[in-house]
């Protein structure tokens, strides 16, 4: 398992169309937004509404990413803009046979 001192992560790069396409897979995008809204609801932080959810999905845009080679594929670490100056960070694993 990697940590901040011992990992195979490459440099942080600007997003590419391929990375954006990977992040746009509905299961990835909707799961990330759902997790964000659930966490904020549980902690009573921002009081996101359904209108916010739709706005976050519509504004979804990867700005930066890095790759880490792991045993069975690649981990992509992405910084995603969801509008209004808000960003989330997600990790997406792509199995080796999907490359």
């Amino acid at each position: 398992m990697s940590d901040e001192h011992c990992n195979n992560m490459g440099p942080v790069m600007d997003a590419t169309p391929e990375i954006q396409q990977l992040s746009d897979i509905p299961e990835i995008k909707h799961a990330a937004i759902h997790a964000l809204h659930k966490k904020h609801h549980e902690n009573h932080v921002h009081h996101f509404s359904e209108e916010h959810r739709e706005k976050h999905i519509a504004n979804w845009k990867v700005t930066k990413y890095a790759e880490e080679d792991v045993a069975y594929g690649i981990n992509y670490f992405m910084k995603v803009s969801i509008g209004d100056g808000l960003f989330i960070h997600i990790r997406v694993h792509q199995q080796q046979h999907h490359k």
Side-chain angles (χ1 to χ4, degrees), residues 9-26:
M9 189 181 305
V12 175
M13 300 173 281
D14 291 333
T16 64
E18 294 80 19
I19 291 298
Q20 183 65 45
Q21 183 178 11
L22 177 62
S23 80
D24 282 337
I25 294 172

Side-chain angles (χ1 to χ4, degrees), residues 59-79:
N59 289 309
W60 180 273
K61 181 174 172 50
V62 178
T63 60
K64 300 281 184 183
Y65 80 103
E67 297 179 5
E68 178 187 31
D69 289 322
V70 292
Y72 296 101
I74 299 176
N75 284 332
Y76 294 96
F77 297 89
M78 302 176 193
K79 180 179 182 180

Side-chain angles (χ1 to χ4, degrees), residues 34-47:
H34 176 75
L36 171 70
H37 283 246
K38 181 178 177 187
K39 194 168 286 280
H40 283 268
H41 176 74
E42 290 169 354
N43 295 312
H44 308 288
V45 178
H46 287 293
H47 307 290

